[in-house]
Amino acid sequence: MYKKYLKTAAPVLVLALSVGAVQIMIAAKPAPEKKEEEQRLVSLLYSEAREETVHLAVATQGEVRPHTEIDLTPQVAGRIVAIAENFAEGAGFEAGETLIQLDDADYRLALARAEADVAEAEVLLQQARAAAAVKSRQWASINPGREPTPLQVNRPQVVEAEARMRSARAALADAELNLARTQIKLPFQGRVIRRDVGVGQFVTENTPLGRVFATDRVEVRLPLTDLQLQELDLPMGFVATGGNPGPQVTLSAQVGRERRQWQGRIVRTQAAVDEQTRLIYAVAEVQDPYGKGASEGVPLAVGLFVSAEAEGVQAHKALVLPRDALRNADEVYVVGPDNRLKIRTVKVLSTSEQRVVVASGVVEGERVVTSAIANVVDGMEVQPVTQLARQ
């Protein structure tokens, strides 16, 4: 009985002793040291705010328009017998190039008749002068010392022949002019907006042939406030002269994948305030926009909407920051002496691709963040990294 009990209790006793030993070993093991994780600070590039004397940029926008745009019309009637290849929508033409040729047969006949009339008038004039000379000699031999009347020496006949000669020459000039007008030309280089006629069509005076514009220069109408006008030192009713050609203006637009720039000048301003917008409009001109004035071969095309920027002439004391420092149009991030980030609202005076000029919100020497940062928290601790301010 005892042996049977011992066989049953022995395994239980061994198991209990094992569990107890494991518990004693666990309790005797030293506790692991707890290491506190150090907070990783965000590294940010910064530049110091600088106070400078600056000329503020005046920014505005406008649409490119041709300086000269006209409807092409004939001055004589006739049937169209030829149209130049350059007289097509979008095509360019040279000054003095024949764009349309009218049938000139009738005008050549008229010219021939006018030339004959001039020849006939020339003969009649010579005859009248010869007859007057004979009468004058006869009067002098018969009536020495006496003054003849005009009629006695055929002076009225000579005056009449001279008048007929002038009329015949005027008719000849008119015939030559009408013949020349059968070749429709323009005195300027330009491009065609549209063509309204075709070969074989009969046209009369003032029949619309098409619409064209000159490419010697284009203009952009720019709206300005009175403060912007003051920054540019331009009076109302300003007109550019040789001594004062007007302030330079840089025009820019996105063309394809690149942003292009063109240089021009403000040549005049309106003499009145626009009743609807309460703004004053200035006109900027760009010379030869399809040639030398193009931007790396890209013309300043008519109809293009452009941004315009001109540098003011009045000097201002202001703080200059890199363009990358500006956030959300009017905010900057400042790193304080304790390396904590502060979000500041600034008053922006002017911006460009390289810099931003502010009047308030930061002080000279403060560190403004220029690198990109996400999840900004006011007062967060950062690791500033020096970066020189860019011009």
Side-chain angles (χ1 to χ4, degrees), residues 34 77-79 104 111 120 123 133 141 219 241 278 290 293 377 384 389:
K34 294 184 179 181
R79 192 174 303 279
D104 61 359
L111 177 60
E120 182 181 357
V123 172
S141 63
E219 59 185 34
T241 60
R278 311 311 301 172
Y290 288 81
V377 177

Side-chain angles (χ1 to χ4, degrees), residues 299-348:
L300 181 59
V302 170
L304 190 65
F305 193 79
V306 296
S307 298
E309 185 174 294
E311 186 176 278
V313 298
Q314 296 191 12
H316 299 268
K317 282 283 188 179
L319 292 165
V320 178
L321 313 175
R323 182 64 179 83
D324 295 337
L326 188 63
R327 326 276 173 157
N328 301 326
D330 63 350
E331 290 182 349
V332 296
Y333 302 153
V334 177
V335 179
D338 56 356
N339 290 343
R340 293 191 178 276
L341 187 144
K342 300 294 183 182
I343 301 176
R344 301 272 187 86
T345 300
V346 295
K347 181 180 179 182
V348 179

Side-chain angles (χ1 to χ4, degrees), residues 207-254:
T207 298
L209 304 177
R211 190 164 183 83
V212 299
F213 66 88
T215 55
D216 59 336
R217 51 181 170 164
V218 292
E219 59 185 34
V220 184
R221 192 165 176 257
L222 303 173
L224 299 174
T225 65
D226 54 348
L227 291 178
Q228 289 176 320
L229 205 65
Q230 184 178 359
E231 285 293 336
L232 296 173
D233 193 25
L234 289 176
M236 295 179 65
F238 165 78
V239 177
T241 60
N244 184 8
Q248 286 190 334
V249 58
T250 299
L251 306 173
S252 61
Q254 190 73 26

